[in-house]
Amino acid sequence: MDLTLKLKRKKPRHSLVARVLHWLYAPSVLTCIWSGFYINRPAKIYGFRNMNSAQKAHFIAQFTLIFAFLARVYYAFQKKNYKEILPNRQTIQNLPRFVRYELFLNSKKPQFPKYNPGQKLLFTGFVLLLPLQILTGLALYFQDSWQKTTKIAKGLNYLRQLHFLVALGNAILVAGHLYFVFTQGFKTLKSIFTGYK
Amino acid sequence: MGLDGPESKTKPVVLWLGTNTCAGDLLSFLNNNNPGYQTWVNDYVDLRYDYLLGVSQGPQNIEILDSTLADLPGRYILIVEGTIPTNSYEFCSVIGIKNSEYWTALQAVRELGAKAGHIIAAGTCAAFGGPYAAAPNPTGSVPLQAILRERTVINVPGCPINPEWLMGTINHLILYGVPELDSLNRPRLFYGQTIHDQCQRRAHFDNGVFAENPGEPWCMYKLGCKGPTTYADCPSRQWNTEHVSWPVKANTPCIGCTSPEFPDGDMPFFEHLPDVELPGIRMQANQVGRWAGLFTALGIGSHLAANIVTGRLAGNYKRDLASSRRKRLLKKKILRKKF
Ligand code: HEM
Ligand code: HEM
Ligand code: SF4
């Protein structure tokens, strides 16, 4: 086969849409975490000028996130690529192998279809926690008009607490995701920018 | 034929029942001005029953309540202050003795509530449970609405109420009917906006100027101020009869006493968020955050250390470096072939 074709025909690891959406929701989530923790307990180290700017950052990021999250979910169903992201029976079967490798009990790197079981579990965490984050956030943001909804949480203070605890969960997931990404070498990292490994 | 003479016929009849309560709302109500309590009782209403200030006693009391129930069904205003206890055969609150038996608060509220024209829950306990239903709630206390499910209970919360919230609600009922209510049945007239949105220190909040200790004249947010989650008009109406002050103006945070989750959900008063409760553990929300951060850092840190020590991390990067060098060479080869 012609070498040119061999290079060109390779399917990208991440499609353009997936990459664009990743670079919409990733900064939004990071901004929400950063500004959210400032809102929870204002301190100089976050670098926000004041509460007003932290709230503005949170509010802009939150709506970008909502848009990007919904778009990604729609795209996942349309292209059926949720199969690459969500765990399946194979993932569970692969899990012991993966854990042994990650605990340095096995030195040969196992191969997995696209994402390793660890990344898959983290992504599933996002799929579960981000909707909760968005719903509790919306109920806080529209607290006047959504007063009935707040009743489910038994009051605004409990709603805030829930939003905060879910944010902790999301922050842990992001930390895990970034750790995987930055320790796998730079080609995976490159792939989320260029699409190719 | 009115109990208090002929002139009372034209004045609306009011019954003020005290159940499990500290009497704080009635005492606060006495601080009204324009109209004051005395004027109100003389000119505005026919206050037939008042659990604290009434002159009647014992059987007389029961007679007043019974005859109002019989003579004026649907035409009296019932004010209830306090929770309705349901444990211990409801004996934690007894209104009096009727037919030689205890007439419990639960029975009284059911009977009087069923036939009242309007029902007002005065104070956070009657409205939402409040301190008398706070965990672990030994008396099994419930708010008024939980007993009178099919009736509209107008909730006038506050611990205690601002005198004008109740005076205004009653007078609105008399003059114009039921005021506009929010989804927790509080009159929007008084509970339409958050404390935070009317606070004199809002500019300090926006500018990030926070008090670190009670007594400082800045925004009380970092001292656990519940202004952002609390609906009431304290900052504009203010307290002490002459509208002179309110908690934040007195350099202490709002504790959120008009909220349905008060006091459990507003505690600790000097913390931003309520404690996280799991079976057997109780922890401050920020402490949960600190532990979560510590565990994540430890987990990632130790894995990273192992990753470095075993040389796996360096291996991953070397592998990528080598393969991209190969690819570059391949590209060069293709280009050389083409041209
Ligand atoms: C991953 C995404 C998000 C994270 C990590 C996050 C995190 C946080 C945190 C930690 C707080 C402080 C809570 C407190 O202690 O009171 C907060 C506040 C808040 N968040 Fe989020 N949030 C996220 C997304 C959203 C979304 C999608 C919305 C709404 C649509 C939202 C709306 C709000 C609002 C209204 C507040 C209260 C702000 C205030 O009181 O000034 N958040 N967020
Ligand atoms: C600067 C921060 C980030 C970087 C450098 C980064 C990098 C990456 C990389 C390299 C991949 C591809 C992994 C692979 O091909 O094996 C990826 C995928 C992914 N990342 Fe991130 N990420 C970041 C932040 C985030 C955040 C905050 C989220 C939170 C929601 C997130 C969610 C995801 C998801 C869901 C995927 C799968 C994408 C898909 O298959 O379409 N990332 N990220
Ligand atoms: S003192 Fe309380 S109510 Fe006033 S601006 Fe600060 S947080 Fe809001």
Side-chain angles (χ1 to χ4, degrees):
Chain A
M1 203 205 299
D2 182 17
L3 282 170
T4 327
L5 278 179
K6 200 171 170 186
L7 268 182
K8 274 200 179 148
R9 255 217 215 129
K10 216 171 89 183
K11 208 169 146 267
R13 183 169 169 83
H14 305 290
S15 70
L16 180 65
V17 179
R19 277 180 282 143
V20 168
L21 289 178
H22 181 273
W23 290 119
L24 278 177
Y25 57 69
S28 318
V29 168
L30 293 175
T31 310
C32 277
I33 292 175
W34 200 247
S35 57
F37 286 151
Y38 176 93
I39 294 170
N40 174 265
R41 180 169 264 222
K44 286 234 158 45
I45 52 157
Y46 292 96
F48 288 106
R49 190 140 42 91
N50 51 34
M51 182 57 97
N52 202 16
S53 55
Q55 281 180 322
K56 261 187 206 148
H58 198 81
F59 297 158
I60 292 168
Q62 83 200 20
F63 287 117
T64 317
L65 170 67
I66 293 175
F67 163 76
F69 180 77
L70 292 179
R72 187 65 184 85
V73 170
Y74 173 76
Y75 183 67
F77 279 104
Q78 209 212 3
K79 291 277 187 237
K80 300 252 184 296
N81 58 24
Y82 60 85
K83 288 180 186 160
E84 295 169 352
I85 294 171
L86 298 180
N88 47 26
R89 196 173 310 137
Q90 204 189 358
T91 317
I92 312 278
Q93 281 166 358
N94 282 336
L95 201 57
R97 230 163 18 109
F98 170 72
V99 170
R100 247 178 285 132
Y101 174 73
E102 290 300 335
L103 290 182
F104 300 93
L105 300 174
N106 187 354
S107 61
K108 193 168 171 318
K109 189 173 187 174
Q111 292 303 308
F112 304 108
K114 197 157 179 178
Y115 298 121
N116 71 41
Q119 282 280 38
K120 273 193 163 185
L121 288 178
L122 291 178
F123 294 157
T124 312
F126 284 131
V127 172
L128 295 175
L129 286 189
L130 284 180
L132 210 57
Q133 191 84 68
I134 290 172
L135 285 178
T136 50
L138 282 173
L140 279 177
Y141 192 74
F142 297 111
Q143 52 174 273
D144 285 340
S145 40
W146 286 33
Q147 219 176 37
K148 273 212 182 78
T149 322
T150 316
K151 273 203 223 171
I152 303 171
K154 294 202 162 71
L156 281 171
N157 289 296
Y158 289 123
L159 193 64
R160 280 190 146 192
Q161 187 193 44
L162 194 59
H163 193 69
F164 174 74
L165 294 177
V166 175
L168 288 182
N170 272 318
I172 293 172
L173 294 179
V174 167
H177 173 59
L178 293 185
Y179 179 69
F180 273 129
V181 163
F182 284 111
T183 51
Q184 266 173 11
F186 62 83
K187 279 176 66 184
T188 343
L189 188 58
K190 194 187 94 188
S191 73
I192 200 71
F193 292 94
T194 63
Y196 293 92
K197 248 186 154 175
Chain B
M1 49 139 264
L3 286 167
D4 294 329
E7 81 280 4
S8 67
K9 260 192 282 183
T10 53
K11 290 194 287 183
V13 171
V14 174
L15 308 177
W16 190 321
L17 220 57
T19 56
N20 267 13
T21 176
C22 68
D25 300 303
L26 182 48
L27 292 173
S28 182
F29 188 76
L30 297 179
N31 289 308
N32 261 302
N33 202 7
N34 295 323
Y37 179 77
Q38 197 63 49
T39 317
W40 184 69
V41 173
N42 286 339
D43 303 343
Y44 285 63
V45 293
D46 174 5
L47 184 59
R48 289 205 184 169
Y49 178 86
D50 178 331
Y51 74 98
L52 194 66
L53 302 175
V55 288
S56 57
Q57 288 186 34
Q60 241 182 333
N61 266 340
I62 302 295
E63 209 181 294
I64 292 171
L65 291 172
D66 271 351
S67 62
T68 308
L69 200 57
D71 299 343
L72 295 169
R75 285 173 47 208
Y76 58 90
I77 296 174
L78 175 69
I79 300 174
V80 177
E81 180 184 347
T83 58
I84 322 299
T86 59
N87 283 353
S88 313
Y89 311 101
E90 309 136 32
F91 284 158
C92 298
S93 176
V94 169
I95 301 298
I97 294 174
K98 200 169 171 176
N99 307 327
S100 323
E101 282 191 29
Y102 287 132
W103 197 35
T104 66
L106 182 65
Q107 290 168 325
V109 161
R110 273 209 185 116
E111 285 172 42
L112 292 167
K115 297 218 174 124
H118 296 289
I119 306 163
I120 297 176
T124 304
C125 289
F128 304 126
Y132 274 87
N137 193 5
T139 59
S141 270
V142 295
L144 197 52
Q145 186 74 73
I147 304 294
L148 302 171
R149 287 187 184 282
E150 58 298 331
R151 302 293 317 264
T152 301
V153 173
I154 301 174
N155 288 326
V156 184
C159 194
I161 46 163
N162 184 304
E164 293 177 10
W165 297 338
L166 187 56
M167 181 64 88
T169 303
I170 299 169
N171 290 349
H172 196 287
L173 269 181
I174 295 171
L175 294 172
Y176 314 110
V178 181
E180 195 194 340
L181 304 176
D182 67 9
S183 63
L184 294 162
N185 277 1
R186 300 175 295 201
R188 277 194 198 282
L189 196 57
F190 308 113
Y191 305 90
Q193 264 184 306
T194 59
I195 298 270
H196 188 57
D197 282 348
Q198 307 161 74
C199 181
Q200 294 90 344
R201 300 197 182 168
R202 180 54 183 269
H204 294 323
F205 174 87
D206 291 336
N207 291 328
V209 184
F210 300 106
E212 299 291 338
N213 297 293
E216 292 173 2
W218 318 116
C219 167
M220 294 284 150
Y221 186 75
K222 280 175 88 172
L223 294 171
C225 183
K226 304 298 186 299
T229 50
T230 306
Y231 285 77
D233 63 4
C234 300
S236 50
R237 183 171 306 280
Q238 310 197 57
W239 289 69
N240 316 84
T241 305
E242 305 282 351
H243 315 277
V244 290
S245 190
W246 68 287
V248 168
K249 202 165 166 184
N251 295 328
T252 177
C254 162
I255 59 171
C257 73
T258 59
S259 298
E261 66 268 45
F262 180 82
D264 291 344
D266 289 283
M267 290 201 299
F269 290 149
F270 282 74
E271 287 291 331
H272 177 59
L273 294 175
D275 288 347
V276 178
E277 269 182 272
L278 296 170
I281 316 174
R282 192 190 175 101
M283 220 192 244
Q284 263 171 28
N286 275 318
Q287 233 167 336
V288 176
R290 244 171 269 141
W291 281 108
L294 190 68
F295 276 118
T296 314
L298 274 180
I300 288 183
S302 52
H303 198 275
L304 182 64
N307 231 340
I308 292 170
V309 170
T310 56
R312 189 183 281 177
L313 186 62
N316 283 346
Y317 273 91
K318 267 188 209 141
R319 183 201 60 220
D320 281 1
L321 210 62
S323 92
S324 62
R325 198 177 297 134
R326 262 201 312 281
K327 215 184 254 169
R328 230 178 297 129
L329 285 175
L330 196 63
K331 248 188 212 157
K332 254 191 210 148
K333 219 158 109 193
I334 295 165
L335 289 177
R336 226 178 286 134
K337 243 188 194 169
K338 269 195 173 161
F339 309 105

